[in-house]
Amino acid sequence: QVQLIESGGGLVQPGGSLRLSCAASGRTDTDYHMGWFRQAPGKEREFVAVVDSTGGRTYYADSVKGRFTISRTYARNTMNLEMSSLKSEDTAVYYCAADRFPFILETVKLRNYYGYWGQGTQVTVEE
């Protein structure tokens, strides 16, 4: 079992920056991939970014590419999401997720491949 706890959400103005973190505990000796999803009010939960178990490979949603950067610490049990040039449409609850699965584009974007989820952290972008 893996437990995930997000932190770093908050209120930021358009164009601003924010950093989210996700701390994993439990069976972190297993090589899990870790990702971020987000869910805005009235919308489906959508893929944002993912980093593989080694920290060497990443994928991003087109909507955040060039603005968000995902990374993992050396110990690989903490994941960060650096968000810049934030827009109002980035407002959502951001969820950390993890699991083991084939690290290919067709797979990493699908919620069903992630068996472990955090509780979520709110990000609000507004004036």
Side-chain angles (χ1 to χ4, degrees):
Q1 293 293 321
V2 175
Q3 294 79 43
L4 303 172
I5 300 177
E6 304 97 336
S7 61
L11 173 65
V12 63
Q13 293 185 334
S17 300
L18 208 58
R19 184 190 195 196
L20 304 183
S21 294
C22 175
S25 60
R27 287 289 306 273
T28 56
D29 58 312
T30 305
D31 291 337
Y32 291 99
H33 308 314
M34 298 181 74
W36 289 97
F37 286 73
R38 67 186 182 186
Q39 188 167 16
K43 295 188 176 181
E44 294 286 324
R45 191 171 299 188
E46 65 176 5
F47 167 77
V48 175
V50 65
V51 57
D52 76 351
S53 59
T54 71
R57 294 179 294 170
T58 59
Y59 283 118
Y60 294 91
D62 289 342
S63 59
V64 307
K65 202 173 294 183
R67 300 188 298 121
F68 291 11
T69 303
I70 192 171
S71 63
R72 294 179 78 154
T73 63
Y74 178 77
R76 300 184 301 173
N77 63 349
T78 300
M79 174 180 62
N80 298 309
L81 186 69
E82 300 280 355
M83 305 185 295
S84 62
S85 302
L86 284 162
K87 307 174 182 179
S88 58
E89 50 263 46
D90 294 318
T91 294
V93 177
Y94 284 69
Y95 296 91
C96 172
D99 216 321
R100 298 179 67 192
F101 46 80
F103 198 80
I104 56 176
L105 185 59
E106 294 79 4
T107 302
V108 300
K109 294 183 175 181
L110 301 179
R111 299 196 305 264
N112 290 346
Y113 279 92
Y114 296 80
Y116 303 101
W117 292 84
Q119 293 298 307
T121 184
Q122 177 70 46
V123 172
T124 303
V125 184
E126 65 181 26
E127 295 287 352

